Amino acid sequence: MTTPNRATHIRLTSHPEPSTGAARVPIRWGAADPAERRPVIGSVTGPGDRNVIGSHGGSYSVYRALAISARALNPLARPDLHNTHPTVGIGPHPQWSDPDRIVSLDPFGHVVADVFSREIATGTDIRPTIAITKARLNMPEILAAMAAHRLAPDGGILHPNGDVSVTKIAVDPVWWLPGIANRFGTSERELRRTLFEQTGGMYPELVTRPDMQVFLPPIGGATAYVIGEAEALADPKRRVACRVHDECNGSDVFGSDICTCRPYLAHGIEECVREAQTGGAGLVVYNRKEGRALGEVTKFLVYNARKRQEGGDQASTYFERTECVAGVQDARFQQLMPDILHWLGIRRIDRLMSMSNLKYDAIVGSGIAVGERVPIPPELVPPDASVEIEAKKAAGYYSPDGALEAGQLGGVKGRDLERY
């Protein structure tokens, strides 16, 4: 095996020397023109070009380091982006140039191979942070809906074998730190310091490079599944159904019955198919926030604590046991969740498949109208998940009946919609 080219001199320091100047290609967040906005450059092979904290690939950069350590990957390798362009066009939408609307992703992350082709050709390591492809998904629950005659195949969106045609969009997080700080009601300086400390000093540039205002955090991103035409999401004349879903590996993948995650996900997909078949569009956004963004280890510890307490699992102590183990009831904090909706050009969601007040408040608070909140049908709630549902209702986390009547708008006034 050939040993990749490596630097012959390595210097280790606890903190890199403070910057002697601003980034050579500073990002101008909120600029409508990508050439003026500038590309996101997280290259570790061209340090002079870097204009962000962190590196391309986010959480997968660690696996890249392992591949390099194992002599399986040349650290100087660059991606060949030929024929990787999106299968459908997204945007640009007016929200892309509104720095209050999008702070956690790069709106031009899917078109960098085109808009920055000259820079890439001359050696700058610029990589996409968004990828768009087409596929089909298949779930037993969709086949069951067809068997029950709740859905019928149309040959385009829903196929006779139960396949659902979708546009899949993968989004890596790209955080504009001033905007992130504003969303959470803190200062950029305090946010930087906390991120630096809570990652064990992993990113010293957070405190040594104030000129770099964009961070590629080592966390999972989001995947959007569009059912129907993607352009319908931004068309005010067409209806939109949406399920915003936070990851739950145990339920979503393996069918664990202690929560309602997979049943609600399947229900959301069914409703999205139905909306697309009547001329609208459906959207499922899947966010990597396992265990309420506390992780699966913490989640399983909480399961044990809930089941072993005196009197067994109870709605009255549901959140208390989580807080005892994790120190907080929920770390998902939905403030950043609406960004992908704005990126898709959404101004109104006609049917939101969610009873979560946190999600609803974040969406309407960001300027997106919501017509109807659709609760999970009672017959889809697994017996062991009834504790979760009752606890969330009692705590005000869930709206018991979906809250709003169909067609009733929430959170947005007419003048706010006119901004778009």
Side-chain angles (χ1 to χ4, degrees), residues 36-374:
E36 180 184 352
R37 188 184 186 96
R38 309 292 181 81
V40 170
I41 308 174
S43 172
V44 296
T45 59
D49 295 328
R50 288 172 54 82
N51 59 5
V52 300
I53 302 164
S55 64
H56 291 303
S59 58
Y60 291 97
S61 62
V62 176
Y63 286 105
R64 185 170 66 239
L66 288 178
I68 293 171
S69 298
R71 308 297 198 273
L73 174 64
N74 186 330
L76 302 180
R78 303 280 182 88
D80 179 355
L81 299 177
H82 180 64
N83 280 340
T84 63
H85 56 278
T87 53
V88 300
I90 301 292
H93 297 294
Q95 294 96 315
W96 291 16
S97 57
D98 185 341
D100 292 331
R101 293 285 184 251
I102 297 177
V103 302
S104 63
L105 60 89
D106 175 17
F108 296 97
H110 57 311
V111 292
V112 297
D114 291 328
V115 298
F116 299 117
S117 59
R118 184 174 60 181
E119 290 86 348
I120 293 173
T122 55
T124 305
D125 188 7
I126 302 171
R127 306 188 184 191
T129 57
I130 299 175
I132 305 173
T133 190
K134 284 185 174 291
R136 292 187 181 185
L137 62 82
N138 188 293
M139 299 178 69
E141 292 89 341
I142 297 300
L143 286 170
M146 294 169 65
H149 304 291
R150 297 195 306 272
L151 290 176
D154 57 77
I157 294 168
L158 179 60
H159 301 268
N161 67 346
D163 283 356
V164 179
S165 294
V166 299
T167 298
K168 295 199 300 185
I169 307 170
V171 181
D172 278 344
V174 178
W175 286 6
W176 181 51
L177 293 173
I180 299 287
N182 185 59
R183 289 275 181 95
F184 285 89
T186 187
S187 68
E188 182 186 347
R189 179 172 180 172
E190 181 63 24
L191 174 66
R192 284 172 171 268
R193 171 59 62 179
T194 303
L195 286 170
F196 171 70
E197 292 175 349
Q198 295 303 312
T199 56
M202 186 184 298
Y203 299 98
E205 291 165 315
L206 286 165
V207 293
T208 64
R209 292 295 301 271
D211 59 298
M212 288 185 176
Q213 294 188 314
V214 175
F215 178 38
L216 305 183
I219 60 174
T223 307
Y225 294 81
V226 181
I227 301 172
E229 297 178 352
E231 57 265 31
L233 296 171
D235 186 346
K237 297 179 181 178
R238 301 171 74 174
R239 289 173 56 85
V240 173
C242 178
R243 166 70 182 167
V244 178
H245 189 90
D246 291 330
E247 177 183 25
C248 179
N249 184 62
S251 178
D252 297 341
V253 179
F254 295 101
S256 172
D257 66 351
I258 198 171
C259 61
T260 59
C261 295
R262 182 182 173 97
Y264 219 157
L265 176 62
H267 173 64
I269 293 173
E270 179 179 336
E271 294 299 317
C272 286
V273 169
R274 185 174 292 109
E275 199 67 69
Q277 287 182 320
T278 56
L283 172 67
V284 175
V285 180
Y286 194 88
N287 294 297
R288 270 39 176 226
K289 297 179 181 177
E290 178 63 62
R292 298 190 210 153
L294 298 168
E296 209 164 31
V297 169
T298 294
K299 181 164 71 171
F300 289 5
L301 294 175
V302 172
Y303 286 167
N304 289 345
R306 283 170 48 193
K307 296 288 187 177
R308 289 170 175 164
Q309 65 185 336
E310 185 177 351
D313 200 6
Q314 304 169 46
S316 60
T317 56
Y318 177 89
F319 286 109
E320 176 187 333
R321 298 310 298 145
T322 302
E323 191 164 6
C324 286
V325 175
V328 65
Q329 294 182 359
D330 193 327
R332 285 175 294 178
F333 303 113
Q334 302 292 346
Q335 286 94 325
L336 304 180
M337 174 267 291
D339 286 25
I340 193 168
L341 307 179
H342 289 295
W343 178 73
L344 290 164
I346 292 174
R347 295 180 290 177
R348 172 191 169 106
I349 296 171
D350 295 276
R351 306 187 75 229
L352 177 65
M353 274 65 73
S354 175
M355 293 188 291
S356 167
N357 291 330
L358 293 176
K359 292 177 182 176
Y360 172 79
D361 290 345
I363 291 170
V364 299
S366 76
I368 296 174
V370 173
E372 177 188 5
R373 296 169 71 180
V374 182

Side-chain angles (χ1 to χ4, degrees), residues 11-34:
R11 183 163 182 245
L12 299 178
T13 60
S14 60
H15 289 69
E17 292 82 356
S19 170
T20 57
R24 189 165 67 191
V25 186
I27 296 174
R28 295 169 181 166
W29 200 269
D33 181 353

